[in-house]
């Protein structure tokens, strides 16, 4: 079974990839997995302001968020990294992608993929070690999968390598503030009741690191944007039950950190519930659970791409900005 090159424990490999594969395989076999896919269904079609910036950098040929319109380009061959049950494929059309290769570490997820109007091929492989030749794909997409990768720079490098020149990578992943209410409440409760705390929610990448990692990998014309999805629950116990039963376990998102703590004492849980309500509770008595999403777009270099102007070629100085401001003020009057 594919577990990738970084399946051992350690500071550089925080996640147990074998356990993650088991979790995702289990999730894919549940009776009605579609009921658990709210976030994975929502994210691929969620529009953001990033498409305007990215399209400006590539002459209007860039997509909206993950699957919105590709107004002037069709991609002959695309790759979905960490595809799961095909959450992205169901939002694509033949006018966008002619053929899609779906890659996931869990074979059960691929076997239970939802139908799509575009031809798809399933490949069981690890996101950290893509089994494809260099310069193969015109487009690579990934939705809510890369946050479980042990070596994110290597995963980005693999994606950049399999892209053709002028190919584009479009991704979404959970960000650093995801479930911050739950994490803070549990940590404070454990400190109070047990004199220390262990991670119960897996670590997430900071947005400040994302652009740097993509740039170092070789992507250019980068666009990185953030969004938040907030879900309200009656209380902490309902948050954890839903996370374990729907969003997390049913989606294969259960914590697979090597240093995870298997159990929480009941007294700690009761204290955490009170802290959650006190610090984050809504006026109607419910509590929020926040999911932060990072969206990213990066292009592989090609000679046809627009190049930055040469240093010293500007025709307007910063000093002229003040004159422009005065002109605008007079126009308003």
């Amino acid at each position: 079974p594919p577990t990738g090159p970084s399946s051992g424990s350690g500071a550089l490999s925080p996640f147990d990839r074998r356990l993650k594969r088991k979790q995702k395989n289990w999730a894919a076999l549940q009776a009605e997995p579609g009921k658990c896919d709210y976030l994975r269904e929502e994210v691929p079609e969620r529009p953001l302001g990033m498409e305007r910036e990215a399209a400006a950098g590539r002459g209007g040929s860039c997509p909206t968020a993950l699957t919105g319109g590709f107004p002037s380009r069709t991609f002959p061959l695309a790759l979905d990294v960490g595809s799961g049950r095909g959450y992205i494929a169901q939002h694509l059309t033949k006018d966008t992608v002619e053929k899609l290769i779906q890659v996931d570490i869990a074979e059960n997820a691929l076997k239970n993929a939802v139908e799509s109007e575009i031809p798809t091929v399933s490949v069981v492989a690890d996101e950290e070690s893509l089994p494809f030749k260099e310069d193969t794909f015109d487009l690579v997409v990934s939705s809510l999968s890369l946050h479980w990768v042990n070596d994110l720079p290597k995963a980005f490098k693999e994606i950049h390598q399999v892209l053709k020149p002028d190919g584009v990578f479009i991704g979404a992943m959970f960000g650093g503030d995801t479930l911050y209410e739950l994490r803070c409440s549990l940590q404070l409760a454990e400190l109070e009741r047990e004199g220390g705390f262990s991670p119960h929610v897996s670590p997430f990448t900071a947005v400040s690191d994302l652009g740097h990692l993509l740039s170092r990998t070789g992507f250019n014309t980068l666009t990185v944007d953030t969004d938040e999805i907030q879900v309200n629950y009656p209380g902490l116990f309902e948050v954890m039950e839903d996370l374990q039963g729907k969003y997390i376990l049913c989606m294969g998102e259960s914590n697979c950190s090597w240093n995870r703590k298997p159990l929480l004492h009941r007294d700690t849980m009761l204290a955490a519930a009170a802290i959650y309500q006190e610090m984050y509770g809504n006026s109607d008595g419910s509590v929020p659970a926040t999911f932060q999403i990072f969206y990213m777009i990066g292009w592989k270099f090609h000679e046809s791409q627009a190049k930055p102007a040469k240093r010293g070629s500007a025709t307007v100085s910063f000093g002229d900005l003040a004159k422009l401001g005065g002109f605008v003020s007079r126009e308003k009057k």
Side-chain angles (χ1 to χ4, degrees):
T3 55
S6 54
S7 57
S9 61
L12 298 180
S13 300
F15 303 122
D16 183 344
R17 295 290 291 174
R18 290 186 178 89
L19 176 59
K20 174 50 54 187
R21 177 173 173 265
K22 291 180 180 179
Q23 291 169 347
K24 294 186 73 174
N25 272 324
W26 178 89
L29 293 178
Q30 298 313 296
E32 296 181 275
K35 289 184 177 180
C36 311
D37 293 342
Y38 169 73
L39 291 176
R40 293 192 180 280
E41 294 283 0
E42 172 79 7
V43 168
E45 60 180 355
R46 195 173 180 88
L48 291 177
M50 66 188 297
E51 77 280 1
R52 181 177 62 254
E53 303 171 36
R58 287 297 299 122
S61 63
C62 192
T64 301
L66 285 179
T67 58
F70 293 74
S72 61
R73 186 168 180 175
T74 299
F75 297 90
L77 184 61
L79 172 67
D80 184 356
V81 178
S83 62
R85 296 177 57 250
Y87 309 99
I88 293 180
Q90 61 185 313
H91 298 293
L92 298 175
T93 66
K94 293 180 180 178
D95 294 331
T96 302
V97 172
E98 294 179 357
K99 184 177 181 179
L100 179 67
I101 308 298
Q102 296 175 308
V103 169
D104 199 275
I105 197 174
E107 61 273 19
N108 289 341
L110 295 171
K111 290 177 183 177
N112 289 275
V114 295
E115 292 186 4
S116 169
E117 72 171 66
I118 59 176
T120 60
V121 176
S122 298
V123 177
V124 181
D126 195 289
E127 295 94 329
E128 294 186 29
S129 186
L130 298 177
F132 305 106
K133 294 181 180 180
E134 188 175 355
D135 302 338
T136 299
F137 298 97
D138 306 279
L139 166 70
V140 176
V141 294
S142 181
S143 181
L144 302 186
S145 171
L146 293 176
H147 59 284
W148 286 124
V149 168
N150 276 316
D151 192 342
L152 189 58
K154 184 179 185 300
F156 284 155
K157 183 178 180 180
E158 293 270 337
I159 291 170
H160 184 271
Q161 182 171 307
V162 301
L163 272 174
K164 294 179 180 179
D166 201 35
V168 60
F169 166 54
I170 308 162
M173 61 187 294
F174 285 122
D177 288 340
T178 294
L179 298 174
Y180 71 88
E181 306 98 338
L182 177 62
R183 283 186 288 175
C184 185
S185 299
L186 289 173
Q187 288 174 5
L188 290 175
E190 278 194 295
L191 282 171
E192 176 190 341
R193 298 301 173 95
E194 301 178 33
F197 65 87
S198 300
H200 297 281
V201 179
S202 294
F204 297 103
T205 302
V207 68
S208 58
D209 297 329
L210 202 54
H212 180 62
L213 290 175
L214 289 166
S215 179
R216 283 182 55 188
T217 303
F219 288 103
N220 58 43
T221 319
L222 294 173
T223 304
V224 177
D225 208 345
T226 65
D227 190 21
E228 286 188 354
I229 299 175
Q230 192 173 89
V231 183
N232 292 321
Y233 296 88
L236 176 138
F237 291 101
E238 288 79 9
V239 173
M240 298 198 66
E241 179 182 2
D242 210 33
L243 288 173
Q244 292 175 357
K246 292 184 180 179
Y247 294 117
I248 302 300
L249 283 180
C250 201
M251 288 170 50
E253 287 295 311
S254 195
N255 187 1
C256 66
S257 299
W258 286 103
N259 62 345
R260 63 191 179 275
K261 186 177 179 179
L263 296 173
L264 276 169
H265 297 299
R266 178 169 176 79
D267 288 347
T268 302
M269 288 290 294
L270 291 172
I275 292 171
Y276 204 138
Q277 185 66 54
E278 177 67 25
M279 293 183 63
Y280 305 107
N282 298 316
S283 58
D284 62 357
S286 65
V287 296
T290 300
F291 300 87
Q292 184 180 39
I293 314 296
F294 293 163
Y295 292 89
M296 64 205 97
I297 295 178
W299 296 82
K300 188 169 182 176
F301 176 78
H302 187 269
E303 290 292 338
S304 66
Q305 294 173 355
K307 298 178 178 61
K310 292 183 178 179
R311 186 178 180 86
S313 63
T315 58
V316 179
S317 69
F318 283 110
D320 292 328
L321 294 177
K323 299 177 184 178
L324 178 62
F327 175 77
V328 171
S329 298
R330 289 196 297 274
E331 285 293 307
K332 288 182 178 180
K333 292 179 181 178

